[in-house]
């Protein structure tokens, strides 16, 4: 650099270029991050070279479009008397609510109550059945079982060959005493084949709302895959909550260390922009929001602050103009920050060729942390410190220093007095 010229971060064209480039990059990454999707597949957590991967390939090719089996579970007889006429009507209402759900295959509904009525109509005769209005039913659609015979007929039905397929849909309090009622019962259905996490969440919520629309207290919809759908539903909220808590914790710690609010805010801005960059690169790299990537995103908060906090601290304690202090901070901490980022990169580089999805995601995100943490800590932060950084902090000696910067005059001491001042324990010399 020519003598007496300003360092690059202090030159206006360089400052404008750095701020504009970083702003454009943050906007691009923010746009890409907005397109991130929530997704999860079993096979991601199985090694690429595992034999099980071939099983997944066959399953996807021949059975990938299978629907999801779901159960509509009803409570015990203690809370819901199945034999009552009103309860039998509610069971039919529940079946209709499931059939009309937009995510359920209408032809897939299996209701033990409907099958029981059809069996009783044929085996016991229509005259033995009741209707909601009273008297014998005019058709099977109006038929209801007599409350006094409900549990005995249900037991007879599920133990007969005609009703054996429904034996697992009812759980008796005591199979030897059917009159004690049921511990639980279920209606079965299948939801339409789905591949997108957003559709799976909507299907789960829709069926639950359909069940909730029927006034059967304690009834609920359940499918095995709902365990994963629940994760899809809450993971974005949990991610934002954990990121917010991590940022708050880092903010407090950095503020205590730097003891300067403006510099702390600039450091936190660099940390946030680093995380935004990681989210954007995740979308570009084909990653999704899942339990693995979310953990690494939270870790990124604590790792990214390291690349900015050291430079900011060196700036705060340095003396001189903003430009001189920035140059001193970068000269003092720049090499150490680069070495730290490079050592992190070398540590995770071996994971780039891993056969494990978890390790590959780990490499991609930690690589992004190293690159964008250094970029914001050594390019953007110095420019921001020059532009809007805090003023120089006064030192303890500044208040006692006289005007003009000269030390106070030392009074003349007579030679006799000077010679009398000797170290303790030594004999005084005679004049």
């Amino acid at each position: 650099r020519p003598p007496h010229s300003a360092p690059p971060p202090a030159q206006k064209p360089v400052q404008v270029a750095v701020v504009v480039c970083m702003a454009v990059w943050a906007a691009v990454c923010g746009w890409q991050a907005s397109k991130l999707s929530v997704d999860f597949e079993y096979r991601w957590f199985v090694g690429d070279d595992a034999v099980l991967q071939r099983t997944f390939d066959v399953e996807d090719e021949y059975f990938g479009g299978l629907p999801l089996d779901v159960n509509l579970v009803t409570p015990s007889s203690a809370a819901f008397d199945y034999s009552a006429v009103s309860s039998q009507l509610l069971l039919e209402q529940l079946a209709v609510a499931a059939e009309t759900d937009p995510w359920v295959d209408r032809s897939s509904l299996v209701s033990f109550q409907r099958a029981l009525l059809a069996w009783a109509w044929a085996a016991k005769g229509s005259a033995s059945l009741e209707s909601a209005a009273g008297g014998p039913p005019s058709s099977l659609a109006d038929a209801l079982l007599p409350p006094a015979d409900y549990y005995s007929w249900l037991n007879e039905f599920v133990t007969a060959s005609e009703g054996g397929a429904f034996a697992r849909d009812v759980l008796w309090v005591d199979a030897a005493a059917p009159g004690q009622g049921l511990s639980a019962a279920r209606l079965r259905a299948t939801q339409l084949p789905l591949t997108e996490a957003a559709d799976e969440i909507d299907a789960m919520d829709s069926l639950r709302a359909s069940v909730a629309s029927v006034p059967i207290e304690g009834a609920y919809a359940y499918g095995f895959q709902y365990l994963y759908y629940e994760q899809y539903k809450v993971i974005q909220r949990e991610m934002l909550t954990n990121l917010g808590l991590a940022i708050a914790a880092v903010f407090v710690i950095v503020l205590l260390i730097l003891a300067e609010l403006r510099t702390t805010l600039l450091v936190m801005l660099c940390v946030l922009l680093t995380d935004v960059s990681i989210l954007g690169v995740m979308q570009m790299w084909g990653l999704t929001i899942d339990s693995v990537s979310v953990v690494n995103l939270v870790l990124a908060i604590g790792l990214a602050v390291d690349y900015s906090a050291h430079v900011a601290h060196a700036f705060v304690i340095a003396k001189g103009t903003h430009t001189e202090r920035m140059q001193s901070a970068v000269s003092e901490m720049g090499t150490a920050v680069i070495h730290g980022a490079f050592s992190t990169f070398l540590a995770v580089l071996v994971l780039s060729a891993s056969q494990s999805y978890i390790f590959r995601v780990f490499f991609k995100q930690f690589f992004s942390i190293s690159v964008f943490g250094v970029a914001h800590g050594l390019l953007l932060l110095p420019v921001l410190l020059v532009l809007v950084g805090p003023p120089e902090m006064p030192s303890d000696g500044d208040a006692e220093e006289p005007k003009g910067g000269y030390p106070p005059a030392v009074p003349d001491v007579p030679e006799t007095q000077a010679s009398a001042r000797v170290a303790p324990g030594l004999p005084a010399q005679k004049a």
Side-chain angles (χ1 to χ4, degrees):
R1 189 170 75 247
H4 308 296
S5 65
Q11 299 174 7
K12 288 298 181 182
V14 175
Q15 293 175 353
V16 172
V18 169
V19 172
V20 170
C21 290
M22 288 297 185
V24 171
W25 174 249
V28 171
C29 289
W31 169 60
Q32 288 291 316
S34 67
K35 300 193 296 182
L36 272 172
S37 61
V38 177
D39 203 0
F40 168 85
E41 291 186 20
Y42 298 117
R43 65 185 310 165
W44 292 353
F45 297 89
V46 178
D48 295 345
D49 54 351
V51 178
L52 186 57
Q53 288 290 353
R54 287 184 287 174
T55 304
F56 287 132
D57 292 336
V58 173
E59 182 180 2
D60 292 342
E61 182 178 358
Y62 296 102
F63 307 104
L66 290 179
L68 171 66
D69 294 330
V70 292
N71 299 315
L72 313 179
V73 183
T74 50
S76 67
S77 297
F80 179 74
D81 185 6
Y82 291 83
S83 64
V85 170
S86 60
S87 298
Q88 296 182 52
L89 294 174
L90 287 175
L91 286 174
E92 177 59 24
Q93 186 178 342
L94 180 62
V96 172
E99 284 180 327
T100 56
D101 187 275
W103 299 96
V104 172
D105 182 359
R106 185 182 182 89
S107 63
S108 68
L109 184 74
V110 178
S111 170
F112 75 92
Q113 175 70 15
R114 290 180 177 179
L116 174 61
L117 286 170
W119 171 83
W121 181 275
K124 304 297 183 179
S126 60
S128 61
L129 302 180
E130 299 180 0
S131 66
S138 58
S139 65
L140 179 59
D142 300 327
L144 296 170
L145 273 67
D149 299 321
Y150 186 88
Y151 291 116
S152 60
W153 287 8
L154 176 59
N155 182 57
E156 183 181 350
F157 167 64
V158 297
T159 55
S161 58
E162 298 93 331
F166 300 91
R168 300 182 64 180
D169 291 342
V170 293
L171 180 63
W172 298 99
V173 174
D174 185 354
Q180 296 185 25
L182 302 174
S183 295
R186 68 175 181 179
L187 280 64
R188 290 174 283 147
T190 55
Q191 288 185 316
L192 300 175
L194 302 170
T195 56
E196 298 294 330
D199 292 339
E200 292 167 343
I201 295 172
D202 291 342
M204 178 182 67
D205 291 342
S206 177
L207 186 57
R208 286 178 172 175
S210 298
V211 173
S213 67
V214 181
I216 302 178
E217 186 176 357
Y220 61 92
Y222 174 77
F224 172 73
Q225 292 289 341
Y226 283 6
L227 296 172
Y228 304 101
Y229 297 175
E230 286 286 2
Q231 175 184 314
Y232 304 157
K233 184 177 180 179
V234 304
I235 193 168
Q236 287 181 303
R237 182 176 73 248
E238 292 295 322
M239 177 186 71
L240 295 176
T241 300
N242 283 280
L243 287 176
L245 292 174
I247 290 172
V250 169
F251 172 79
V252 172
I253 294 173
V254 173
L255 182 60
L256 291 175
I257 293 175
L258 297 182
E260 211 290 316
L261 179 60
R262 192 187 310 179
T263 308
T264 301
L265 293 175
L266 293 178
V267 170
M268 297 312 300
L269 174 63
C270 292
V271 173
L272 287 173
L273 291 178
T274 300
D275 244 34
V276 170
S277 299
I278 297 171
L279 288 168
V281 172
M282 283 174 57
Q283 167 66 19
M284 301 176 196
W285 226 327
L287 301 181
T288 60
I289 298 176
D290 55 41
S291 55
V292 178
S293 60
V294 167
V295 170
N296 290 334
L297 282 172
V298 177
L299 289 175
I301 298 294
L303 294 172
V305 70
D306 198 42
Y307 303 121
S308 300
H310 291 299
V311 176
H313 182 262
F315 178 87
V316 169
I317 64 176
K319 300 296 181 180
T321 65
H322 279 61
T323 299
E324 293 170 346
R325 293 160 62 203
M326 177 274 298
Q327 189 175 9
S328 173
V330 174
S331 300
E332 180 180 349
M333 300 305 305
T335 303
V337 169
I338 292 176
H339 285 174
F342 188 66
S343 63
T344 301
F345 167 74
L346 290 180
V348 299
L349 180 61
V350 294
L351 303 178
S352 60
S354 173
Q355 299 295 316
S356 170
Y357 167 80
I358 298 176
F359 290 154
R360 288 198 302 272
V361 172
F362 197 87
F363 163 74
K364 292 176 181 179
Q365 290 189 286
F366 270 66
F367 170 77
S368 301
I369 293 171
S370 302
V371 171
F372 299 118
V374 169
H376 289 95
L378 294 183
L379 293 179
L380 180 61
L381 182 60
V383 171
L384 295 178
L385 290 173
V386 171
L387 294 176
V388 295
E392 178 184 347
M393 296 180 65
S395 61
D396 295 338
D398 291 344
E400 301 177 0
E401 186 175 338
K403 295 182 180 180
Y406 296 101
V410 179
D412 294 335
V413 179
E415 183 178 352
T416 57
Q417 296 181 14
S419 62
R421 295 179 181 176
V422 296
L426 297 178
Q429 296 179 354
K430 293 183 179 182

